[in-house]
Each structure stands twice: as structure tokens, then as C-alpha cells.
Amino acid sequence: YKNTGHAIVTILGQEGLSALYKGFEAQALRNVIWNGTYFGLIFRTKSSLAGQFKDHPNMLNFVAGTLAGSVATTVNTPIDMVKSRMQNTIGKDAPIPWTLPTLKQVFLTEGIRGMYRGYTARLIRLGPGGGIMMLAFDFFSNLLSDK
């Protein structure tokens, strides 16, 4: 594609309007799973580790965020793999257009390894990303508070 406009026109012309929304269901489900897992774990993880990082609140935030981000990434990688496949294929090579049937198809044809394709790269990015996010959250919360 030459630019964003060219990409949109080409996709619409070759695949139709629905192609702009390929993988939307998987994207939404992936985000719900990651955020639910991350935020469900972060505060419990911080309180469990607090004694080990008494004098180092930034390290506590980073370690807890990295652990929670790593678990969230582990839990949602199969859905992210489905999203990527849905978004990166066209025509007859496209997978089933819904998340769970596609996930089942991958499991049956490629096994657990297929479901976790790309896991290492995602873990390297999103594990520490969860730690950085917690540092940023704490920084801006303190900056904006009435302290």
C-alpha cells in the first residue's frame, strides 16, 4: 500500500467493507482477557511482594506489573494468535470468521504449539510492558493527587 487511504480503498475494493473489521471480535476478547487478568492480579501481586520491596516502591510496581503482565499474556496468547490469523488472511485461505471455532480448528490441526505461536515475542514485549504501565500509572496518580 502507498498510504493509509490507498490501503482502505484497496481493501474495500478487493474484500468489501467487512474486511475492515476482520478480527474485531478476537481483538475485543483478547483485550478483555488481558486487562481482566492483569488488573485482577496486579493489586494482589503488589500486596504479596510489598514486604520484599519496602524501600523501593518503583521496583515493586515494575516487578508486580511485569508478573501480572506475563500471566495475562500467557492467558490471552491463543486469542491473540486467532486475531492475527483473521486479520492477515484473505479469500479462501481465511480462517473461520469467529474466534472460538478458529481456536478449536488451530488446536485440532496444530495442537497447543499452534495456539502459542508468537508467545515468546509477545511475552518479551508485554511482560515488562505491564511493569512500565504500573510505573506510569503510579507516577501520574501521584502527580495528579492532592498530596
Side-chain angles (χ1 to χ4, degrees), residues 16 71 79 83 97 108:
V71 172
I79 302 300
K83 176 210 59 91
L108 293 174

Side-chain angles (χ1 to χ4, degrees), residues 54-104:
K54 281 184 240 173
D55 300 325
H56 305 286
N58 287 337
M59 185 59 80
L60 172 62
N61 281 329
F62 182 74
V63 170
T66 298
L67 289 171
S70 297
V71 172
T73 299
T74 301
V75 172
N76 90 333
T77 290
I79 302 300
D80 187 66
M81 175 276 308
V82 168
K83 176 210 59 91
S84 296
R85 288 190 184 193
M86 292 172 126
Q87 291 175 335
N88 292 316
T89 57
I90 59 173
K92 64 182 177 190
D93 294 330
I96 301 165
W98 299 106
T99 303
L100 296 180
T102 301
L103 187 60
K104 179 181 176 184

Side-chain angles (χ1 to χ4, degrees), residues 26-53:
Q27 174 83 31
L29 185 57
R30 177 196 76 161
N31 290 351
V32 165
I33 292 170
W34 196 93
N35 288 309
T37 304
Y38 179 83
F39 289 108
L41 291 174
I42 190 65
F43 299 106
R44 179 174 288 154
T45 304
K46 279 181 72 170
S47 64
S48 295
L49 296 172
Q52 298 171 354
F53 296 98

